[in-house]
Amino acid sequence: MKDKRLYSPKYVREILNRYGFQFTKSLGQNFLIDGNIVRKISEEGNITKEDYVLEIGPGIGTLTEELALNAKKVVAIELDKNLFPILDETLNNYNNVEIIHGDILKVDIDKIIKEKLAGGPVKVVANLPYYVTTPIIAKLIEEDLNIESIIIMIQKEVAHRIIASPNNKQYGSLSIFVNFYTNPEILITVPKTVFMPKPKVDSAIIRLNLKKDLPQVDRKIFFQVVKAAFSKRRKTILNSLSSSSLGLDKEQVKEVLKTSNIPLEARAENLKIEDFIKISKTLPSLDIY
Ligand code: SAM
């Protein structure tokens, strides 16, 4: 059984050949072939026999198997139908795993948690398909789901953008978006050699600690302001906000910035989340909303 663990490159190759499986690059199919990383992801999730786990994109079941060994129940959502006969074989020994066919961006996660994962709270653990990393993260953190923790492997460069602080080149709307809802941390970086096929980029395992109390602000206005500010990140905040879809003229933006105690010559990348919150709270007083 031991040498038959799914992270053995020899076994992965054998099983893929036997089923005539062809990787679909556009689905971000890079399967793990390193036992240490598979264990590390599961360990970081602190998965115990009490836990309900939601996995996104099980592939041939490599991480799923590790999660099934540790969790009470695992539900994994996979888009590629061609993987289902393989998963039937590789996860045959585990009666605490359920694979659902679907697109994670389209399925009703709340319903799945309620109907198949005892209502949660669930731990989300996944080696994400990289072409949809941001929309998946957005769905997980915005939808007010009963999620206890999120441990995901993503592209290293995206992980650095997520954790970036103000005054840093990588700081931008993604950093603000994720930090609005969570406290993110990079756990380890992972070389491309642990995947089959080998991707072009390195990866990182990150944890998103969901905030219990979100900042009190109108989110629609807040994210509109952030988007407008970073759409022209080289300009001063005065110029970017006054030439944006917010429909404000320069005098109005000046007034807002003064009230919010933000220097007129600041740029988007100099502003903290709290500064964008201050701007967003001041805007409605202009009577344009
Ligand atoms: N978990 C496996 C592993 O670590 O070896 C596979 C990870 S691979 C990076 C990403 C997986 O997500 C693939 O199996 C792919 O088919 C699946 N996938 C891609 N897009 C998806 C989507 N929109 N919804 C659900 N699964 C998706």
Side-chain angles (χ1 to χ4, degrees):
M1 180 73 191
K2 206 154 180 257
D3 60 332
K4 278 278 189 184
R5 288 299 299 274
L6 288 164
Y7 41 71
S8 145
K10 205 170 137 205
Y11 184 39
V12 175
R13 230 171 268 121
E14 185 269 313
I15 201 157
L16 295 180
N17 285 340
R18 188 149 46 80
Y19 282 89
F21 179 80
Q22 303 287 334
F23 289 100
T24 306
K25 217 175 157 190
S26 61
L27 285 182
Q29 291 180 337
N30 300 98
F31 298 162
L32 277 167
I33 48 164
D34 184 310
N36 290 328
I37 298 297
V38 172
R39 277 188 295 273
K40 176 79 181 161
I41 299 176
S42 175
E43 272 164 29
E44 289 293 348
N46 282 323
I47 312 294
T48 71
K49 277 292 164 198
E50 310 289 299
D51 287 326
Y52 291 92
V53 176
L54 177 69
E55 190 195 0
I56 298 155
I60 63 164
T62 315
L63 179 59
T64 325
E65 179 180 43
E66 185 68 23
L67 297 170
L69 285 168
N70 295 301
K72 180 159 189 162
K73 181 165 182 197
V74 182
V75 167
I77 296 158
E78 174 57 60
L79 181 56
D80 187 352
K81 269 234 147 167
N82 294 329
L83 287 164
F84 280 67
I86 301 181
L87 287 163
D88 271 349
E89 174 183 327
T90 56
L91 300 174
N92 182 37
N93 289 336
Y94 302 93
N95 57 13
N96 60 343
V97 178
E98 188 171 338
I99 310 288
I100 296 178
H101 178 237
D103 179 340
I104 187 64
L105 296 178
K106 295 191 183 143
V107 297
D108 184 340
I109 301 182
D110 190 46
K111 194 162 167 230
I112 291 173
I113 293 178
K114 286 193 176 119
E115 291 179 0
K116 301 190 179 289
L117 291 163
V122 298
K123 294 184 170 177
V124 175
V125 184
N127 171 18
L128 289 186
Y130 293 174
Y131 74 107
V132 275
T133 300
T134 314
I136 293 176
I137 292 178
K139 185 164 178 172
L140 293 174
I141 64 184
E142 264 182 334
E143 283 193 2
D144 201 20
L145 301 163
N146 193 4
I147 292 177
E148 181 180 335
S149 58
I150 302 176
I151 305 285
I152 43 179
M153 176 120 78
I154 62 174
Q155 208 175 311
K156 187 168 93 178
E157 176 262 329
V158 178
H160 283 290
R161 276 168 46 212
I162 286 176
I163 62 148
S165 325
N167 304 318
N168 184 307
K169 240 180 29 205
Q170 286 158 315
Y171 181 66
S173 45
L174 180 64
S175 336
I176 294 183
F177 176 68
V178 178
N179 281 274
F180 184 89
Y181 290 99
T182 78
N183 293 309
E185 51 177 326
I186 292 184
L187 302 172
I188 53 162
T189 55
V190 176
K192 26 175 139 20
T193 45
V194 305
F195 300 95
M196 181 192 294
K198 201 162 69 170
K200 289 202 176 73
V201 292
D202 289 326
S203 299
I205 302 172
I206 64 164
R207 189 201 320 271
L208 301 178
N209 302 296
L210 289 151
K211 289 183 185 170
K212 286 205 170 65
D213 298 308
L214 296 181
Q216 294 293 310
V217 62
D218 180 319
R219 286 183 218 169
K220 193 165 164 244
I221 299 179
F222 174 80
F223 287 113
Q224 251 181 327
V225 170
V226 172
K227 190 172 163 211
F230 281 98
S231 66
K232 299 186 182 104
R233 64 182 291 149
R234 280 165 201 276
K235 288 195 175 187
T236 61
I237 188 85
L238 173 62
N239 283 332
S240 58
L241 293 189
S242 54
S243 60
S244 76
S245 58
L246 292 168
L248 304 174
D249 63 35
K250 245 186 178 149
E251 286 315 307
Q252 288 172 312
V253 177
K254 264 188 199 168
E255 193 187 319
V256 170
L257 293 177
K258 278 185 192 150
T259 315
S260 314
N261 277 326
I262 293 166
L264 301 184
E265 63 281 5
R267 291 169 206 280
E269 65 189 35
N270 307 128
L271 304 189
K272 300 193 284 281
I273 287 193
E274 294 71 36
D275 296 320
F276 286 106
I277 291 175
K278 277 192 232 157
I279 296 177
S280 311
K281 284 187 168 168
T282 313
L283 278 180
S285 65
L286 292 176
D287 271 349
I288 55 162
Y289 285 92

